[in-house]
Amino acid sequence: MTHDPNCLFCKIVAGLIPCKKVHEDEDILAFHDIHPWAPVHFLIIPKIHIASLAQVGPEHATLLGRIMTLAPRLALQEGCNPYPQGGFRLLSNTGAEGGQEVHHLHFHVMGGPRPWHRG
Ligand code: AMP
Ligand code: ZN
């Protein structure tokens, strides 16, 4: 299944729910988190529905590599300060005990001057 009609982030990918877009290409979407923890807080997601990192396999290596290489570029673009004084946090909550609430794979990118609202 590449899309789950009941999935919030699949609905965002499909344009059924609006988002504040940071980046979009054929395979990847990045948009601002609706409840930011930090001055900069956006999510990077694959457009295909993958429930979490627990469902990732070797066939996703290129996609995940692209997300990882995109993260630092988008972090700077969205206002994170440069490494090493600045930087950002990259986080993927996985499963209930990992704190995952939306079950469509996503990577949080958080940054900006401290203190943050959370984290
Ligand atoms: P997680 O706990 O890692 O599953 O995080 C899900 C994140 O999605 C939370 O930080 C929410 O604030 C964020 N979120 C939920 N709904 C939306 C939405 N409609 N647009 C943007 N971010 C959202
Ligand atoms: Zn989904």
Side-chain angles (χ1 to χ4, degrees):
M1 171 176 58
T2 52
H3 294 98
D4 176 348
N6 299 313
C7 169
L8 174 67
F9 287 176
C10 282
K11 288 179 188 168
I12 289 180
V13 168
L16 300 172
I17 292 175
C19 72
K20 228 177 117 192
K21 216 171 275 184
V22 166
H23 169 90
E24 181 168 19
D25 62 47
E26 207 181 321
D27 306 311
I28 296 167
L29 181 66
F31 54 91
H32 288 277
D33 196 291
I34 207 164
H35 294 125
W37 284 33
V40 177
H41 186 175
F42 61 89
L43 306 173
I44 310 179
I45 71 169
K47 287 189 169 179
I48 56 165
H49 182 83
I50 302 170
S52 81
L53 267 183
Q55 283 71 35
V56 157
E59 69 275 25
H60 301 119
T62 304
L63 178 62
L64 290 181
R66 289 201 49 233
I67 289 173
M68 289 301 123
T69 54
L70 205 50
R73 185 162 75 69
L74 296 182
L76 288 176
Q77 175 190 302
E78 293 307 307
C80 291
N81 292 311
Y83 176 91
Q85 285 83 10
F88 57 89
R89 177 178 293 173
L90 182 67
L91 175 71
S92 187
N93 298 321
T94 304
E97 292 181 348
Q100 185 177 9
E101 288 177 0
V102 178
H103 289 260
H104 179 127
L105 177 62
H106 56 279
F107 294 86
H108 295 258
V109 180
M110 291 172 258
R114 299 279 181 166
W116 292 357
H117 314 301
R118 294 174 73 182

